[in-house]
Amino acid sequence: MFGGDSALPFSRHSDVLHGAVPTDPKELENLVAELKRRGNAAFQQNALEEAEVLYTRAITINESDPLHQQHIFFANRSAARCSMGKADQALEDAEACVALNATHAKGFFRKAQALVKLRRFKEALVALDNAKTLEPSNKSVMTLYTKVQELAKNQKEAPIMSAPKKVVTRMEVVPSSSSTTTPETTTSTAASSTVVDDDAEIAGHVRGYKTLADGRVTTFFNNELTEEAKQLIGDIAPKKVEDPNKVQIKSVNGGSAWNQGNTFEEKDMTAWAKNKLEKIVSGISAPLGTGEGVVTSLEVSNLEGDASIAVVRGAKRYIFDFAFTLACTLKQGDDLVTGDLKFLDLSSDCGGDYDVEAIVPSRYQSEGGKALHAALNSSSSPFRKALAAQLASFVQDYHTF
């Protein structure tokens, strides 16, 4: 009654979660890609336990080639575990991610998210600084950075011991009990009382001020050079340049001439990148590959994200991070099937391995729907190969700037 795959957890994923690991490299690659796709879909649907199990399976069977996408699986599982409240495990995964690939900005972002859950805000800011260095224009990083700065500022600090209050003895003169109303005969006695004075001056010293050698009183922040110091420094007054040709400004590799410090510059490329993407991914046609028919990409919708070129100490970084939906069709004779290929994460740190999801409403209702889903979902299909070539040309053109 309870036998078979139906008795196993997440039985709808039993085809990828259970069974022997393929020995054929191509089959193994396809299985890893399917685990990643299902894990991403489960995470988006807030099925966090499913996502965690799928990413764990991908990590386990991918151990033979840990440098191939392994850091991405650790980053994704970190996100799932963080959302599940498993902050300690999420932090371990994020640290494993950046250990495998120290240039993966999302790994540092996931590390910061886990540290925030653990209320280790100062460490989270360090992780976000690393993410900002790798992707200076990443809006998610900047938003979290601002939030964590405020959290760190408001975090309860250890109580500060107040300085001991100064004790001042004051003398009060009060009339004696034997005094009369006649002024000439009035006598008095001195009584002393000890009080605490928060603002008492100490030996005539006025806080925040100092007396110069010439007797002038000024603030401690005022710093006047002595004659000896002036002679040592020399004449530092600004001088007019009579011959502009004598001023040599050398250009910095990848940066502006004014940036002689060769530190950091950034140029927004979002408009160019969006326009380029819309053009190169639309109108692609390729044979179905498993039968008669042609798969064609139509228009792009819901294109969101940004791109920039950052120059960090003379080295250029070409950064982009986009998500969009690409409408597609399959034409088989007189039959036309429609579907979408959703790019969940098309970014510069994916190395061409972008997160996608194929959505074909008629997948289970018709052979054409099933065929289109397979063509959109498989990275080895003729259509996906043609699409990958176009995206590679986008990256190549981007690097010409």
Side-chain angles (χ1 to χ4, degrees):
M1 177 178 179
F2 296 103
D5 286 341
S6 60
L8 297 170
F10 313 118
S11 58
R12 68 193 184 105
H13 299 301
S14 60
D15 58 324
V16 293
L17 289 178
H18 312 295
V21 177
T23 56
D24 180 72
K26 188 62 179 177
E27 292 181 4
L28 179 61
E29 181 182 347
N30 291 338
L31 176 57
V32 170
E34 181 64 14
L35 285 164
K36 179 182 178 183
R37 185 192 69 79
R38 294 194 193 187
N40 292 346
F43 182 78
Q44 287 193 333
Q45 296 166 8
N46 206 34
L48 301 176
E49 291 185 1
E50 285 188 33
E52 181 187 24
V53 169
L54 289 162
Y55 291 140
T56 300
R57 172 70 167 168
I59 290 171
T60 302
I61 68 174
N62 201 44
E63 286 181 346
S64 60
D65 188 12
L67 297 180
H68 181 65
Q69 298 187 19
Q70 195 78 321
H71 64 285
I72 297 177
F73 295 132
F74 276 114
N76 290 356
R77 191 172 69 175
S78 175
R81 286 178 165 176
C82 194
S83 299
M84 296 169 70
K86 299 180 178 180
D88 289 315
Q89 291 177 295
L91 179 58
E92 291 177 3
D93 281 345
E95 289 178 337
C97 169
V98 297
L100 287 169
N101 187 345
T103 64
H104 192 59
K106 284 188 179 178
F108 289 104
F109 180 72
R110 300 305 184 199
K111 181 177 180 179
Q113 287 180 312
L115 288 167
V116 170
K117 290 282 187 180
L118 296 170
R119 299 189 63 79
R120 291 158 60 178
F121 301 132
K122 291 183 179 179
E123 294 175 69
L125 288 174
V126 174
L128 288 170
D129 279 330
N130 289 325
K132 284 169 57 182
T133 300
L134 294 168
E135 292 189 6
S137 61
N138 190 308
K139 294 180 180 178
S140 298
V141 172
M142 296 306 299
T143 300
L144 183 59
Y145 191 87
T146 302
K147 176 183 176 182
V148 177
Q149 278 186 316
E150 190 66 24
L151 290 171
K153 179 181 177 182
N154 296 333
Q155 190 175 42
K156 186 176 181 180
E157 300 288 347
I160 301 174
M161 298 298 294
S162 58
K165 296 182 178 180
K166 297 173 287 295
V167 178
V168 179
T169 301
R170 291 176 177 164
M171 301 298 295
E172 297 181 1
V173 179
V174 297
S176 66
S177 58
S178 60
S179 62
T180 65
T181 57
T182 306
E184 290 79 8
T185 61
T186 300
T187 61
S188 62
T189 60
S192 66
S193 63
T194 302
V195 297
V196 177
D197 191 345
D198 290 333
D199 299 316
E201 295 181 0
I202 303 175
H205 171 67
V206 182
R207 296 174 185 171
Y209 292 86
K210 62 182 178 181
T211 303
L212 301 179
D214 58 3
R216 289 182 296 129
V217 177
T218 183
T219 68
F220 277 113
F221 299 103
N222 183 29
N223 184 23
E224 295 186 8
L225 295 176
T226 64
E227 291 300 324
E228 182 181 359
K230 291 179 181 179
Q231 292 178 4
L232 182 63
I233 295 173
D235 186 7
I236 58 174
K239 295 180 178 61
K240 180 180 179 181
V241 178
E242 300 294 343
D243 185 3
N245 295 324
K246 292 183 178 180
V247 180
Q248 300 294 324
I249 301 179
K250 62 180 181 179
S251 62
V252 179
N253 182 29
S256 302
W258 57 264
N259 187 8
Q260 297 299 300
N262 204 15
T263 53
F264 174 81
E265 292 181 57
E266 185 178 23
K267 181 180 180 181
D268 186 10
M269 297 294 292
T270 303
W272 176 89
K274 284 186 174 181
N275 183 59
K276 186 71 174 179
L277 277 174
E278 289 179 339
K279 288 182 178 179
I280 65 170
V281 300
S282 301
I284 300 174
S285 293
L288 184 60
T290 57
E292 293 184 359
V294 176
V295 180
T296 304
S297 62
L298 303 178
E299 71 279 355
V300 172
S301 62
N302 302 322
L303 176 56
E304 297 179 352
D306 46 56
S308 64
I309 299 176
V311 180
V312 183
R313 300 196 177 280
K316 278 189 177 182
R317 296 183 184 275
Y318 296 86
I319 304 164
F320 60 90
D321 191 353
F322 291 104
F324 61 90
T325 300
L326 180 63
C328 302
T329 62
L330 170 61
K331 178 73 171 176
Q332 290 180 309
D334 295 331
D335 296 331
L336 184 68
V337 182
T338 61
D340 291 326
L341 184 62
K342 293 185 67 175
F343 278 82
L344 308 175
D345 182 16
L346 188 142
S347 59
S348 49
D349 61 359
C350 289
D353 181 33
Y354 308 122
D355 286 342
V356 298
E357 180 182 4
I359 301 176
V360 181
S362 60
R363 175 186 178 186
Y364 299 106
Q365 284 75 41
S366 67
E367 289 298 321
K370 182 179 179 181
L372 177 58
H373 184 273
L376 298 181
N377 190 55
S378 174
S379 59
S380 60
S381 71
F383 174 76
R384 284 287 300 276
K385 287 182 177 179
L387 181 58
Q390 288 295 90
L391 291 173
S393 70
F394 161 76
V395 175
Q396 186 176 3
D397 291 345
Y398 189 24
H399 280 245
T400 60
F401 287 93

